[in-house]
């Protein structure tokens, strides 16, 4: 934890407990920084421990005989508040907060993949929304078969857990334009990854799946007429 400056209302042993908690949570203490902040509960400066990689924070405050905490993230909310009469209770919540920080930092960003930060952001955007040809639909059927086999053999996915998405990808190729089907394809792969807890392998799965259908969206220059 860098730049420890004038820690207000906090004993050295308390700071040491916080440091040990960060280490025990498997997070590098150098990723944290102490900052002065204005209290939300009283007219005073308080100390906030900020995780610099994510901007998440845990603010330590006191009011009368209460230990107050303001922190983000909370378990299932953006921000949480704790009021307790002991530092040990505040420390317990801090340890929980560290697990939430680690959870958010390590979680795969599926929406980011869809919105432009991931591999599939490179899909062509100027393709016509034309229907697939008979040969293209055959390619899709074969591609979907190989993708499902890959998921079963490489990741131990049960076929029945992905059957709905697999059938839908083949069926929808007969009625959706290629732009609409591309969106359906991405959503289906994301759904498979989420439902089968394959987050750590998300990029590999995307790359493998896309390699089988990319030719459907690649503009091929037309040759000029002979002569």
């Amino acid at each position: 934890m860098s730049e420890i400056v004038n820690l207000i209302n906090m004993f050295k042993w308390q700071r040491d407990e916080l440091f040990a908690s960060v280490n025990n949570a498997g997070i590098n203490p150098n990723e944290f920084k102490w900052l002065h902040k204005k209290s939300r509960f009283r007219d005073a400066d308080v100390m906030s421990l900020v995780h610099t990689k994510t901007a998440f924070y845990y603010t330590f405050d006191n009011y009368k005989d209460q230990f107050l905490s303001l922190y983000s993230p909370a378990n299932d909310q953006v921000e949480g508040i704790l009021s307790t009469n002991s530092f040990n209770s505040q420390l317990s919540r801090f340890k929980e907060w560290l697990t939430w920080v680690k959870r958010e930092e390590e979680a795969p960003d599926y929406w980011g993949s869809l919105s432009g930060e991931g591999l599939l952001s490179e899909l062509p955007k100027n393709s016509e929304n034309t229907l697939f040809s008979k040969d293209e639909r055959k390619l899709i059927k074969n591609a979907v078969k190989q993708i499902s086999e890959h998921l079963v053999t490489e990741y131990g996915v049960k076929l029945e857990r992905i059957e709905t998405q697999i059938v839908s990808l083949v069926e929808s190729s007969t009625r959706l334009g290629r732009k609409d089907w591309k969106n359906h394809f991405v959503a289906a792969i994301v759904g498979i990854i989420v439902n089968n807890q394959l987050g750590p392998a998300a990029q590999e799965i995307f790359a493998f799946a896309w390699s089988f259908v990319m030719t459907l969206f690649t503009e091929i220059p037309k040759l000029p007429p002979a002569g």
Side-chain angles (χ1 to χ4, degrees), residues 93-143:
R93 182 58 53 87
F94 176 75
K95 291 177 180 178
E96 288 184 288
W97 173 76
L98 290 170
T99 67
W100 301 330
V101 170
K102 193 171 183 180
R103 176 193 66 190
E104 291 303 307
E105 184 181 11
E106 296 178 351
D109 186 3
Y110 299 119
W111 288 108
S113 297
L114 294 177
S115 63
E117 298 175 8
L119 176 71
L120 296 183
S121 64
E122 300 178 2
L123 303 187
K125 298 179 180 178
N126 58 349
S127 299
E128 298 279 339
N129 195 30
T130 54
L131 293 174
F132 293 115
S133 67
K134 183 177 181 181
D135 287 340
E136 287 175 325
R137 293 196 299 272
K138 287 182 179 179
L139 185 152
I140 288 173
K141 185 175 182 179
N142 180 62

Side-chain angles (χ1 to χ4, degrees), residues 223-227:
L223 295 175

